[in-house]
Amino acid sequence: MEDIKLKNIKVTDKFWSRYMKIVKEDMIPFQWKVLNDEANIIIERERNDKSIPAEKSHAVENFKIAAGLKKGHHYGYVFQDSDVYKWLEAVAYALTTGEDKKLEKTADEVINLIEMAQEDDGYLDTYFTIDAKERKFKRLLESHELYCAGHFIEASVAYYEATGKDKVLKIACKLADCIDRNFGREEGKIHGYDGHEEIEIGLTKLYLVTKEERYLKLGRYFITERGKDSGFLRKQLEEDKNKQPILIGMNNFEAEYFQAHKPIVKQETAEGHAVRFVYMCTALAEVARLTGTKEMYNACKVLWDSVTKKRMYVTGGIGSTVMGERFTFDYDLPNDTMYCETCASVGLVFFAHNMLKNEPKGIFGDVLERSLYNSCISGMSLDGKHFFYVNPLEVDPKASERDPGKSHVKVKRPAWFGCACCPPNLARTLTSIGKYIYTKDEETIYTHLYISNESSMNLKGEEIIVKQETDYPWKGNVNITVDGKDKEFTIALRIPNWCNKYDIKVNEEAVKYDVLDGYAYISRKWEDSDKVNLNLLMEVQEIKANPYVKDDFGKVAIQRGPIVYCLEQEDNGKDLHLIKLPKNVQYKCEFDSELLLGVVKIKARGEKFIVKDDWGESLYSSDDNEDLYEEKVLTFIPYYSWANRNDGEMRVWIKKA
Ligand code: FUB
Ligand code: ZN
């Protein structure tokens, strides 16, 4: 199974084209200014922690210093370089789908700068080149050297594929060769791995574009090496004569935090830092596919189940606590202290996508869709200039302001963060949204996402044009036109798990199809302009969580199609915790073009608890008078669109009678 190349997919979708446009026209130029410290914005700390470097980004300046063009010291996190790399990757995808000479020139200049910052032996990392040459590869628990390298390699592959210019790829190969010389099983090399997975993803992509087996071997090495010696990361720190930490606080974490507590193929639960975990799984799934290693793919399935069946929020967010931005334990999904980092949702999308390349199963496509439409895009304001690092499911502005344990739960999206991993991560995902729509093998075109597009794909040596038109995510109608060239092949359509009733027609007529693992397979001889019509019934659904999710017991989340909804104070007044949905509540849906750039809002007659005057000043009472509720018309809005008006309370899980 393989991807369709991004350049062969033209997204024409109303919903996603707006995102792609806003990223290209607003977010990318804005982020470029921020990386150059020219944006005139306030950079916020992601939580109340004075040690977070937030005076400026300095990311481009770091490269200029490393390149010898400027004098000074490195500033920012040790992984600040990755902000530039993710920006470059987003630019590459934006250029793949539309020419922009000015943007390309800026990107070329950045690549020249990166080339100048690269050391003669291929080493590339501005922090170490500027301020800590003698500490290279000596503190991998904290250093993020291979993490940054992985991001650069990903960007370079994307830029090469977008423009055909190979300079960036040469820099990437030189860097990968440097890593290859330094790491591996051979005598004299470091027998170890990075504290933050990412290089593995980069290497699989570099292998695919260069066909150089060494890169796949190295990616596989990092995967098999992780956790073999679970003490590696710590031992390295102890052996380092210079005890000065590079990233304060990192060395408090145990091996499990870095998914290094046992070999990956032996790991059975989603543990540690959530972004690290999903990046690891993304690479694991891809190496499993590329090398045909069953043991690796089986491990992927076990880890997939752990994260999606026991540790994932209804929004597709992951990471239950701010303490280490990590997983905790099964069914521990608090709504108001959670983490749900935007990068973690983006990483879950990558993991799901790579699982789909191994095996087309609805469970992967469903999570891909859930995460994308909810906790990924909630990471960005509708104007594309403000971002969430953390995506809460319940917010009370008072608590965010006064409770030190909730300082990470922002009410408003900041313009930028001291740790700016999320905004450019989202940018690169949104500009490449097209690549998540399909995969294909020799016989079958799999449609995982319903997004209007025109694509061409090679099947059995023939160029097949597929055109998809839909009003998703607001309506469940999907029309697919296939120029089938009289070929026999199969089109597989994902039937989302939220859909209880659907209908498939070809050329207006009922057709025979088989359903397997969440996909409807239509096999036939396809002629030019054949039309497939899929109609997915999109109803409002009350979603319940497993009863062991303590925070959601007795509550429901409202979902319609792929979109999870929430209540905001702006529409429903404050004290959202007093609101209850009665039994047999009726929901009414209406597309409101004026609201939040056009959304389907959901109205319902709910109830609000009446706080009687006789409560007076008392905090507790033994009064057993009957509780009284008043009727209240509720307005639900899509979760992704919250916090785009006035500050206020928000909640996803609502009490249900
Ligand atoms: O450590 C690099 C990135 O910064 C992680 O992926 C994010 O969670 C943030 O901590
Ligand atoms: Zn992030």
Side-chain angles (χ1 to χ4, degrees):
M1 188 97 63
E2 57 184 77
D3 271 333
I4 314 297
K5 288 252 174 270
L6 191 61
K7 66 171 190 289
N8 295 330
I9 304 170
K10 184 173 163 219
V11 172
T12 53
D13 195 74
K14 237 182 164 176
F15 187 83
W16 289 105
S17 294
R18 194 194 75 79
Y19 277 102
M20 290 171 75
K21 186 166 182 286
I22 209 172
V23 173
K24 189 167 179 191
E25 292 175 6
D26 297 313
M27 196 166 167
I28 287 176
F30 167 72
Q31 294 192 359
W32 181 239
K33 280 196 184 149
V34 177
L35 298 176
N36 283 279
D37 302 312
E38 290 165 359
N40 197 17
I41 47 156
I42 294 172
I43 299 181
E44 284 191 35
R45 296 195 162 87
E46 45 278 14
R47 55 186 176 275
N48 285 351
D49 175 349
K50 293 261 157 40
S51 74
I52 294 172
E55 275 97 62
K56 54 189 172 181
S57 161
H58 209 254
V60 172
E61 194 73 4
N62 288 336
F63 279 97
K64 290 185 181 159
I65 299 168
L69 301 175
K70 289 267 184 83
K71 293 234 169 312
H73 286 285
H74 180 277
Y75 178 87
Y77 276 110
V78 65
F79 49 85
Q80 208 83 342
D81 292 0
S82 61
D83 297 351
V84 177
Y85 299 151
K86 281 188 252 178
W87 175 87
L88 181 62
E89 192 181 340
V91 169
Y93 298 138
L95 294 177
T96 308
T97 47
E99 224 190 45
D100 183 333
K101 286 291 166 208
K102 194 168 155 234
L103 187 59
E104 191 170 330
K105 188 165 170 275
T106 309
D108 285 341
E109 284 164 10
V110 175
I111 291 163
N112 289 340
L113 186 59
I114 294 170
E115 188 188 32
M116 288 168 83
Q118 185 170 40
E119 297 191 19
D120 291 344
D121 66 351
Y123 184 86
L124 178 62
D125 189 301
T126 67
Y127 172 81
F128 290 89
T129 298
I130 298 171
D131 283 329
K133 271 202 152 66
E134 68 300 342
R135 308 185 83 189
K136 288 181 201 166
F137 299 141
K138 291 215 169 101
R139 297 181 73 88
L140 289 156
L141 181 143
E142 312 168 315
S143 75
H144 286 71
E145 283 157 292
L146 304 183
Y147 166 87
C148 287
H151 275 303
F152 176 66
I153 294 170
E154 280 202 82
S156 74
V157 170
Y159 197 73
Y160 167 70
E161 289 194 322
T163 61
K165 297 178 187 166
D166 66 354
K167 180 180 203 170
V168 71
L169 206 58
K170 286 189 179 142
I171 306 171
C173 290
K174 197 169 160 188
L175 170 59
D177 294 344
C178 167
I179 296 169
D180 196 22
R181 279 196 308 278
N182 280 281
F183 290 85
R185 297 221 166 91
E186 298 88 343
E187 214 25 61
K189 292 187 176 183
I190 303 167
H191 307 313
Y193 41 87
D194 199 271
H196 196 316
E197 299 88 333
E198 165 58 34
I199 183 67
E200 303 83 354
I201 302 178
L203 287 168
T204 55
K205 290 191 176 179
L206 192 61
Y207 158 71
L208 284 171
V209 76
T210 61
K211 302 280 174 283
E212 174 60 75
E213 293 279 343
R214 232 165 8 99
Y215 299 141
L216 178 60
K217 202 174 140 221
L218 187 58
R220 189 187 157 96
Y221 165 76
F222 283 125
I223 281 177
T224 46
E225 191 65 25
R226 179 170 294 273
K228 235 190 199 172
D229 171 5
S230 61
F232 163 73
L233 292 168
R234 188 148 299 281
K235 252 186 266 163
Q236 234 207 353
L237 290 192
E238 279 153 20
E239 279 162 19
D240 185 16
K241 290 190 188 70
N242 183 347
K243 297 286 173 229
Q244 202 56 29
I246 287 169
L247 196 51
I248 294 164
M250 252 308 106
N251 61 9
N252 295 332
F253 293 119
E254 75 295 355
E256 199 177 59
Y257 181 79
F258 308 95
Q259 296 81 36
H261 50 304
K262 41 177 134 162
I264 298 179
V265 290
K266 298 257 158 26
Q267 296 181 23
E268 290 176 343
T269 49
E271 301 299 347
H273 181 259
V275 181
R276 283 173 168 82
F277 172 81
V278 274
Y279 282 13
M280 172 184 88
C281 293
T282 300
L284 182 65
E286 189 66 340
V287 172
R289 177 179 79 95
L290 295 171
T291 59
T293 315
K294 278 228 165 61
E295 194 191 21
M296 283 189 183
Y297 184 58
N298 288 340
C300 285
K301 287 199 278 192
V302 170
L303 294 172
W304 175 268
D305 281 354
S306 168
V307 65
T308 61
K309 293 190 176 161
K310 299 201 169 129
R311 300 184 181 197
M312 182 183 78
Y313 286 84
V314 70
T315 51
I318 49 172
S320 294
T321 176
V322 57
M323 303 300 290
E325 313 178 313
R326 68 190 295 175
F327 296 105
T328 52
F329 55 94
D330 286 351
Y331 303 122
D332 180 42
L333 297 166
N335 294 311
D336 59 345
T337 52
M338 69 314 88
Y339 213 61
C340 292
E341 181 179 342
T342 305
C343 284
S345 294
V346 162
L348 188 56
V349 166
F350 299 161
F351 181 21
H353 178 58
N354 281 357
M355 289 304 272
L356 284 169
K357 286 196 266 168
N358 277 282
E359 223 183 349
K361 281 191 170 222
I363 50 169
F364 306 137
D366 289 337
V367 169
L368 173 71
E369 180 180 270
R370 181 176 293 284
S371 213
L372 259 184
Y373 281 93
N374 299 291
S375 57
C376 280
I377 51 174
S378 63
M380 183 174 110
S381 60
L382 296 175
D383 70 3
K385 292 198 184 114
H386 299 86
F387 310 94
F388 274 141
Y389 189 125
V390 164
N391 295 278
L393 285 84
E394 187 176 313
V395 164
D396 175 357
K398 248 191 317 320
S400 296
E401 195 193 324
R402 305 284 304 162
D403 177 351
K406 288 184 181 162
S407 70
H408 62 295
V409 185
K410 310 262 183 209
V411 177
K412 230 195 233 340
R413 291 174 184 82
W416 203 251
F417 297 93
C419 174
C421 49
C422 298
N425 223 352
L426 198 51
R428 68 178 178 140
T429 308
L430 293 172
T431 46
S432 59
I433 192 79
K435 77 174 175 199
Y436 303 102
I437 302 175
Y438 304 104
T439 55
K440 67 161 176 93
D441 60 20
E442 282 295 288
E443 301 293 327
T444 310
I445 298 169
Y446 295 91
T447 310
H448 308 296
L449 292 178
Y450 298 112
I451 294 179
S452 300
N453 71 89
E454 285 171 36
S455 300
S456 73
M457 43 196 102
N458 198 294
L459 216 68
K460 298 179 177 171
E462 194 82 59
E463 212 53 30
I464 307 291
I465 310 286
V466 178
K467 187 172 168 191
Q468 212 192 114
E469 289 165 298
T470 175
D471 293 318
Y472 220 77
W474 312 123
K475 289 186 189 162
N477 62 310
V478 184
N479 294 314
I480 299 176
T481 311
V482 192
D483 277 348
K485 312 260 167 38
D486 288 339
K487 289 258 167 199
E488 256 181 56
F489 59 91
T490 304
I491 294 186
L493 305 171
R494 184 174 65 88
I495 306 302
N497 63 350
W498 50 258
C499 180
N500 294 322
K501 200 168 164 218
Y502 61 92
D503 171 64
I504 299 174
K505 290 204 171 100
V506 174
N507 299 331
E508 315 266 308
E509 281 175 23
V511 69
K512 197 178 141 301
Y513 55 85
D514 299 317
V515 179
L516 181 70
D517 281 337
Y519 286 79
Y521 289 79
I522 316 164
S523 303
R524 56 189 265 137
K525 193 179 201 185
W526 296 92
E527 287 165 16
D528 281 357
S529 300
D530 270 354
K531 284 193 172 30
V532 182
N533 174 254
L534 168 69
N535 230 320
L536 301 162
L537 179 67
M538 225 180 233
E539 295 169 303
V540 176
Q541 293 175 324
E542 291 182 345
I543 309 292
K544 288 193 195 93
N546 181 297
Y548 289 111
V549 182
K550 294 187 182 127
D551 296 75
D552 301 341
F553 186 71
K555 299 178 190 165
V556 292
I558 303 303
Q559 186 174 333
R560 181 178 178 274
I563 304 280
V564 173
Y565 279 74
C566 67
L567 289 179
E568 255 197 327
Q569 180 173 335
E570 177 91 7
D571 309 294
N572 304 288
K574 62 187 183 73
D575 297 325
L576 297 178
H577 67 286
L578 298 177
I579 286 174
K580 191 170 83 178
L581 289 165
K583 278 202 176 80
N584 305 322
V585 55
Q586 302 286 315
Y587 296 98
K588 244 183 78 191
C589 305
E590 187 195 323
F591 184 79
D592 186 340
S593 58
E594 303 290 307
L595 183 66
L596 299 159
L597 301 183
V599 295
V600 166
K601 63 183 178 197
I602 300 177
K603 294 233 172 216
R605 280 186 196 283
E607 292 177 347
K608 188 164 182 189
F609 183 86
I610 299 173
V611 183
K612 283 181 276 171
D613 290 345
D614 46 2
W615 269 98
E617 292 280 295
S618 46
L619 182 57
Y620 303 106
S621 161
S622 58
D623 183 351
D624 61 356
N625 290 343
E626 202 195 332
D627 290 344
L628 290 181
Y629 284 83
E630 62 188 352
E631 192 183 276
K632 175 141 188 81
V633 175
L634 304 173
T635 304
F636 290 84
I637 58 156
Y639 169 74
Y640 75 79
S641 67
W642 88 276
N644 275 287
R645 298 173 292 174
N646 295 311
D647 295 355
E649 295 177 27
M650 182 278 291
R651 63 170 54 207
V652 169
W653 289 96
I654 315 294
K655 286 193 194 87
K656 171 79 191 180

